[in-house]
Amino acid sequence: MFNSIFLIVVVVSTLMCSFVNSMRFNLNSDQPKCITEDIKRNAMTIGKYSVVNLNEGYPIPDSHKITVRVRSPIGNNYHFGNHVDSGNFAFTTTEAGDYTACFSVLEQKPSITVTIDFEWRSGVADRDWYKVAKKDKIEVMEYELQRLYDTVTLIHEEMFYLREREEEMQDLNKATDNKMFTFIFLSIIVCLSVAGLQLWHLKIFFERKKLL
């Protein structure tokens, strides 16, 4: 009972923190950088990125433009931006797992550093609820109920997703245990066989030398 309550608290906290991966980071021209997020299947996710212009009033030089690629856990491309200073992406995931967004700059000598603003949202976080409320002209209570309903739905889906991942890990552990047992069993047989051959060889050697 306590474990179930703890799991619910963790999931709620995760969703209320709302998978909003908003950050600013430096990217070196000789060192690509990748950001990975674990997203469940059939989840809506959106992202936007831009190169920070350190010289306001002047265009971003071509040397500071970046290449961005977003991939699924099995390697499918969901977004590709080549030599751009900003962009965005939005898609619905078709499989669960680690989705990766990789950033790079053309290699230059000497190396340069580019500052990037990046925001990645999924689940409840990918909805602008205030715009929805304004657009539909609904009451505050209806807006809160709809938001809570979607949050509960996501919690329910997330719990099933975590259960599936737990079952996958249990199956993997069982398969690993079976392989280890087989390997150890075969190792023992090989060791015993080698020991038997050594004894047999020594016996023949001593008989030939007439020591036995």
Side-chain angles (χ1 to χ4, degrees):
M1 181 64 179
F2 176 76
N3 291 335
S4 299
I5 296 175
F6 177 75
L7 177 61
I8 293 174
V9 170
V10 171
V11 174
V12 171
S13 301
T14 302
L15 289 175
M16 294 308 290
C17 289
S18 67
F19 176 14
V20 179
N21 195 346
S22 181
M23 65 183 71
R24 172 174 290 192
F25 59 90
N26 292 328
L27 176 66
N28 296 327
S29 59
D30 59 350
Q31 187 176 3
K33 180 170 293 187
C34 293
I35 298 170
T36 302
E37 289 293 345
D38 185 10
I39 310 176
K40 64 185 181 65
R41 187 168 60 88
N42 293 328
M44 180 65 184
T45 182
I46 61 176
K48 59 181 179 179
Y49 54 88
S50 60
V51 176
V52 177
N53 192 350
L54 300 179
N55 298 315
E56 295 185 4
Y58 294 91
I60 295 175
D62 289 342
S63 60
H64 285 59
K65 292 186 177 181
I66 61 177
T67 297
V68 184
R69 188 186 300 271
V70 180
R71 290 178 175 175
S72 71
I74 60 175
N76 293 331
N77 287 326
Y78 277 90
H79 174 76
F80 178 70
N82 186 27
H83 204 57
V84 297
D85 55 24
S86 64
N88 56 72
F89 57 86
F91 58 88
T92 300
T93 59
T94 55
E95 62 267 350
D98 291 333
Y99 286 76
T100 305
C102 291
F103 300 81
S104 62
V105 184
L106 288 176
E107 188 172 351
Q108 303 176 45
K109 292 184 179 180
S111 176
I112 64 171
T113 300
V114 178
T115 302
I116 299 174
D117 279 334
F118 179 48
E119 183 177 348
W120 199 353
R121 301 188 297 173
S122 182
V124 176
D126 69 353
R127 298 191 179 184
D128 194 334
W129 288 100
Y130 292 102
K131 289 183 179 179
V132 173
K134 183 177 179 180
K135 180 179 179 181
D136 296 342
K137 297 180 180 179
I138 57 179
E139 297 294 333
V140 175
M141 182 61 70
E142 292 177 313
Y143 147 69
E144 289 292 343
L145 288 174
Q146 183 63 40
R147 186 171 67 87
L148 290 173
Y149 174 78
D150 280 5
T151 301
V152 171
T153 301
L154 285 173
I155 292 174
H156 181 73
E157 294 175 354
E158 188 72 16
M159 291 183 68
F160 275 102
Y161 170 65
L162 292 175
R163 184 179 299 175
E164 291 175 358
R165 293 297 293 269
E166 182 182 0
E167 291 176 354
E168 291 176 1
M169 292 302 298
Q170 289 178 351
D171 292 339
L172 178 61
N173 289 336
K174 290 179 181 178
T176 303
D177 290 341
N178 291 334
K179 291 179 180 178
M180 288 299 297
F181 176 78
T182 303
F183 175 75
I184 292 172
F185 181 73
L186 292 176
S187 298
I188 292 174
I189 291 178
V190 171
C191 291
L192 292 176
S193 299
V194 172
L197 288 173
Q198 288 178 337
L199 291 174
W200 177 75
H201 177 73
L202 289 173
K203 180 181 178 182
I204 293 178
F205 175 78
F206 288 134
E207 288 178 347
R208 287 178 178 176
K209 296 296 183 178
K210 297 182 179 180
L211 297 176
L212 290 178

